[in-house]
Amino acid sequence: CSPISLFLEREGLQLLPGGEAQLFDARHQEAVALVESETLPPGTIATVLRRGFLRHGRLLRPTQVVVVFRPDP
């Protein structure tokens, strides 16, 4: 672990879990854009733009993500 990681951990900060191809969770993630995809199912994360943090179990900053959608036929 790096000294910064150890410091953040001591201060009660945690990186939020979640990444590409996982389901979008509005409790900890903020959808900043939508994108069409033929390979990923709707409602999944296409890209993580900025990681979020918890501090002592409370949301400090949500993870900003791009979410997959399929337009109506």
Side-chain angles (χ1 to χ4, degrees):
C1 286
S2 71
I4 291 174
S5 296
L6 292 173
F7 171 76
L8 293 175
E9 203 171 285
R10 275 196 315 265
E11 293 299 313
L13 289 173
Q14 293 177 281
L15 275 175
L16 284 169
E20 285 83 7
Q22 294 186 350
L23 284 176
F24 173 73
D25 180 359
R27 294 174 302 152
H28 296 123
Q29 297 162 343
E30 175 184 12
V32 297
L34 297 173
V35 67
E36 292 183 53
S37 174
E38 296 296 323
T39 58
L40 293 171
T44 58
I45 298 169
T47 307
V48 174
L49 301 175
R50 187 172 83 166
R51 295 296 304 263
F53 292 95
L54 294 173
R55 182 162 191 243
H56 299 294
R58 298 184 73 185
L59 184 64
L60 183 63
R61 179 178 84 184
T63 301
Q64 292 184 333
V65 298
V66 176
V67 178
V68 174
F69 84 104
R70 289 236 172 80
D72 293 329

